[in-house]
Amino acid sequence: MQFMLLFSRQGKLRLQKWYVPLSDKEKKKITRELVQTVLARKPKMCSFLEWRDLKIVYKRYASLYFCCAIEDQDNELITLEIIHRYVELLDKYFGSVCELDIIFNFEKAYFILDEFLLGGEVQETSKKNVLKAIEQADLLQENMKDKGYHFIMQGINDAHLQEKVE
């Protein structure tokens, strides 16, 4: 997979993951061109299209389009399955994912994608294992917040003690 884009029916880019090195200018050009192309297609049209030297595979879920660019020899149906698995993972994590979940928790959406795909290839096929890794990361993040809070509070208490001594 070369890249994955998530965008709304209005053409707003919600998530982008690039697995090939491109300049920002080229990424913007590709994104603009692809969003326009996909949004112009009718709902009953095939979800695969040839574009430049790549194949584009996309699927619409509610108000979001999930769009992947794959090489000519890659399998379109497997790519559709990858898109579907990612949506299932988002659904499990967020509990019926919607566009607002992606907007306000984009870092989690990226994290889930990174646990699932690595370098544009499926890293983990088990939903359970991906969700377990995400749960562990969430726990670690919570523990770090708690420790950070206690560290800050300890510093404040130490400062107050120092003031009383002086």
Side-chain angles (χ1 to χ4, degrees):
M1 184 180 306
Q2 302 275 315
F3 57 85
M4 179 185 274
L5 304 174
L6 268 69
F7 53 89
S8 68
R9 287 185 307 195
Q10 292 78 32
K12 298 268 188 209
L13 189 63
R14 299 300 182 203
L15 184 138
Q16 59 180 328
K17 187 70 177 184
W18 300 85
Y19 299 107
V20 291
L22 295 168
S23 69
D24 285 344
K25 186 178 179 181
E26 185 65 18
K27 287 177 185 177
K28 284 179 185 172
K29 184 180 177 201
I30 288 170
T31 301
R32 187 174 47 251
E33 202 174 309
L34 268 181
V35 168
Q36 288 174 350
T37 302
V38 170
L39 290 177
R41 293 174 65 85
K42 295 188 179 3
K44 298 281 184 196
M45 293 177 86
C46 179
S47 292
F48 314 139
L49 61 113
E50 290 185 12
W51 181 78
R52 296 186 183 180
D53 58 338
L54 300 170
K55 286 191 277 189
I56 303 302
V57 179
Y58 69 93
K59 179 102 172 101
R60 181 178 156 199
Y61 288 91
S63 64
L64 282 176
Y65 283 89
F66 292 72
C67 180
C68 296
I70 57 173
E71 293 178 16
D72 200 39
Q73 68 274 11
D74 291 337
N75 187 317
E76 300 96 333
L77 294 176
I78 290 175
T79 306
L80 269 180
E81 280 298 315
I82 290 170
I83 291 170
H84 186 70
R85 178 56 55 98
Y86 182 50
V87 172
E88 287 177 325
L89 288 165
L90 291 170
D91 262 346
K92 280 269 197 217
Y93 184 80
F94 292 110
S96 189
V97 69
C98 67
E99 187 176 350
L100 289 175
D101 291 321
I102 304 294
I103 292 169
F104 292 115
N105 301 291
F106 65 90
E107 68 285 341
K108 288 293 179 197
Y110 277 113
F111 187 74
I112 292 167
L113 185 61
D114 290 341
E115 283 296 318
F116 176 47
L117 296 176
L118 180 66
E121 302 290 331
V122 175
Q123 171 178 268
E124 180 58 69
T125 56
S126 167
K127 278 190 281 188
K128 231 180 238 182
N129 288 350
V130 171
L131 291 169
K132 196 167 151 184
I134 294 160
E135 188 178 303
Q136 289 172 342
D138 284 348
L139 283 172
L140 181 64
Q141 189 176 14
E142 283 301 313
N143 288 340
M144 295 305 285
K145 279 184 187 174
D146 290 345
K147 285 181 181 174
Y149 172 76
H150 292 300
F151 181 75
I152 290 169
M153 293 309 291
Q154 184 63 44
I156 291 170
N157 289 338
D158 290 349
H160 285 294
L161 285 175
Q162 188 66 28
E163 286 174 5
K164 287 180 181 177
V165 171
E166 293 172 351

